[in-house]
Amino acid sequence: MNELLTTTLVITAISVVLALILTLANKYLADYGKVKITINKEKEYEVDGGSSLLSSLVGQGIFIPSACGGKGSCGYCKVKVLNGAGPVLATEKPWLSKEELNDKVRLSCQVKVRNDIEIQIPEELFNVREYETTLVKRDLVTDKIAHVRFELPEGETINFKPGQFMQIKAPEYAGTDEFEGNDEEVFRAYSIASSIKDTKHVEFLIGYEKGACSTYIHKVLKEGDKVMINGPYGDFYYHDDDADTILLVAAGTGFAPIRSILYHMRDQDIKKKTRFFFGARTPADLPLVDEMEQFEKDLADFKFIPTLSRTKPEHHWEGDTGHVDDSIDKYVDGEGKYSCYLCGNPKMIASIVEALHKKNIPDDRIFFDEF
Ligand code: FES
């Protein structure tokens, strides 16, 4: 009996000592104290060490694109780290090209801030903010695409460039018979579809893909609900350059940034010849056709050219059929100076770029947003 008691006491004592060591190690080894983040060699922020670079920056009101919520699975949160990051982790490598690795680019969600760190980010990211918006309108513009309009909080405004995107936060929500629930906060990127002149609102075109964020927008949200949105982001936007012809090319929700560009052209009274090639399957997949007809009246020389790939006789479709690259081949003569803005999936972008090359339009006149 005495032996059993002694053994129990020894085991308990060892456990207590181990717990104490762990607590002390946590306190003294994992406590990195205050560390300094220097941005673009001029701005300095003092933060508590130990968190990821991404969350330390968010804590200072600096938002970096991050569609996976910091799990290292979207590759959006790239930041150039000049000093103090430690070695590149295995979780980062699949997302970084050889050039990016040489250029000290890192995934900010995977880099821990344990000591002073020096980073470089595009100046525009200082303009990125988080807004608690209110959903004021949601309409279906095709079977699958919702046109949503959010109002910014009283007294707040947003400045963005036509073509840029924002991130919408989907919180946790319960599932129903109709859709699955979401058990973690996620951010998803969506191009802004509205005019840059409307600084009190942002609009998006959101396709229903049964993902956490598209389900939230299509099925969970109700008008009047609050929604967290941060941005703007992105280097895809309209440039006022020396082009005499603007080609806009999109499919699906790639319609959104093109709509914002068209509003900009109308608001700024830009008179350049402009053609919008839009690829869809059937007439029912064409969003906001009335608006496009109105732009044809409002803009100096604009034509909306939808091209449908799956028409049937009962559709009575009299427009172009096939793929968008066929329409580019048919309507673009390759004369003059072009600027081309492309939005769609990587496969579609690749075939459009090839079609534009055949018209002798060089890469430096082609801007695209792949998603
Ligand atoms: S936030 Fe998605 S990879 Fe870093």
Side-chain angles (χ1 to χ4, degrees):
M1 185 68 188
N2 269 352
E3 205 177 314
L4 184 65
L5 190 63
T6 310
T7 310
T8 309
L9 283 174
V10 169
I11 290 173
T12 308
I14 290 172
S15 305
V16 169
V17 170
L18 282 176
L20 201 61
I21 291 171
L22 276 175
T23 308
L24 289 174
N26 202 30
K27 180 169 170 46
Y28 292 107
L29 299 181
D31 182 1
Y32 300 96
K34 294 283 181 195
V35 295
K36 192 171 69 183
I37 302 178
T38 306
I39 306 180
N40 298 354
K41 297 200 184 295
E42 53 176 21
K43 296 188 174 73
E44 292 184 353
Y45 300 85
E46 198 178 61
V47 302
D48 289 325
S51 301
S52 73
L53 177 58
L54 179 71
S55 56
S56 301
L57 291 171
V58 170
Q60 301 304 309
I62 299 164
F63 293 93
I64 307 290
S66 57
C68 70
K71 293 199 183 67
S73 60
C74 71
Y76 274 37
C77 61
K78 291 175 185 174
V79 159
K80 190 164 173 173
V81 184
L82 304 176
N83 283 304
V88 178
L89 303 181
T91 45
E92 296 176 77
K93 286 187 179 156
W95 302 100
L96 300 171
S97 66
K98 221 165 147 192
E99 291 74 28
E100 286 174 325
L101 285 167
N102 287 339
D103 208 23
K104 300 189 170 183
V105 175
R106 303 288 300 270
L107 289 190
S108 60
C109 69
Q110 300 297 299
V111 172
K112 282 271 182 290
V113 183
R114 297 192 168 106
N115 41 258
D116 291 353
I117 193 167
E118 203 184 328
I119 67 170
Q120 203 175 310
I121 59 174
E123 281 296 320
E124 305 87 78
L125 288 182
F126 290 107
N127 184 31
V128 170
R129 298 200 21 228
E130 187 162 48
Y131 301 88
E132 188 187 45
T133 67
T134 307
L135 178 69
V136 289
K137 198 167 168 233
R138 179 181 56 199
D139 292 326
L140 276 181
V141 289
T142 71
D143 287 2
K144 293 218 170 69
I145 299 178
H147 176 199
V148 286
R149 179 172 171 83
F150 297 97
E151 188 168 270
L152 269 52
E154 187 62 36
E156 295 203 45
T157 54
I158 181 168
N159 294 311
F160 61 94
K161 294 177 179 154
Q164 286 194 299
F165 69 91
M166 297 186 80
Q167 295 192 143
I168 298 180
K169 179 159 94 181
E172 295 174 18
Y173 56 81
T176 67
D177 293 345
E178 194 194 348
F179 59 84
E180 271 183 38
N182 178 36
D183 55 9
E184 58 181 359
E185 230 174 51
V186 290
F187 289 88
R188 290 289 176 268
Y190 297 101
S191 295
I192 306 169
S194 43
S195 163
I196 62 170
K197 261 177 64 178
D198 186 1
T199 57
K200 285 289 301 162
H201 299 89
V202 279
E203 296 179 16
F204 304 91
L205 295 175
I206 299 187
Y208 182 43
E209 291 136 9
K210 300 191 177 167
C213 203
S214 68
T215 302
Y216 173 60
I217 305 269
H218 278 253
K219 306 286 179 188
V220 180
L221 273 183
K222 288 185 261 358
E223 286 184 11
D225 284 350
K226 300 286 182 204
V227 181
M228 300 307 292
I229 302 181
N230 63 57
Y233 300 103
D235 49 15
F236 174 81
Y237 50 80
Y238 180 81
H239 304 74
D240 202 11
D241 54 22
D242 61 353
D244 45 41
T245 304
I246 306 296
L247 299 184
L248 308 167
V249 188
T253 51
F255 199 98
I258 303 299
R259 181 177 185 253
S260 184
I261 290 173
L262 288 170
Y263 271 113
H264 178 69
M265 296 184 81
R266 190 192 65 185
D267 295 342
Q268 296 301 311
D269 198 20
I270 293 170
K271 292 190 166 22
K272 297 180 183 193
K273 176 178 173 181
T274 304
R275 299 291 177 265
F276 177 13
F277 296 97
F278 184 72
R281 287 191 283 191
T282 69
D285 299 324
L286 296 176
L288 303 170
V289 173
D290 293 353
E291 269 192 15
M292 293 303 112
E293 287 169 359
Q294 191 60 45
F295 277 124
E296 287 185 337
K297 290 181 191 141
D298 294 345
L299 288 166
D301 183 3
F302 170 65
K303 282 201 169 43
F304 177 52
I305 305 173
T307 306
L308 302 184
S309 61
R310 294 201 196 161
T311 50
K312 291 182 182 160
E314 58 264 36
H315 292 146
H316 306 295
W317 176 251
E318 290 176 359
D320 288 273
T321 55
H323 292 99
V324 174
D325 38 349
D326 302 325
S327 296
I328 288 175
D329 191 39
K330 180 172 164 190
Y331 294 105
V332 177
D333 60 16
E335 305 289 329
K337 278 195 183 132
Y338 289 82
S339 275
C340 311
Y341 297 87
L342 283 43
C343 269
N345 63 50
K347 199 171 155 209
M348 172 214 154
I349 300 272
S351 71
I352 302 301
V353 168
E354 201 183 315
L356 295 172
H357 284 169
K358 282 187 194 151
K359 299 290 176 178
N360 299 319
I361 299 175
D363 282 331
D364 64 353
R365 310 302 300 215
I366 302 172
F367 311 100
F368 55 82
D369 191 9
E370 281 182 350
F371 50 83

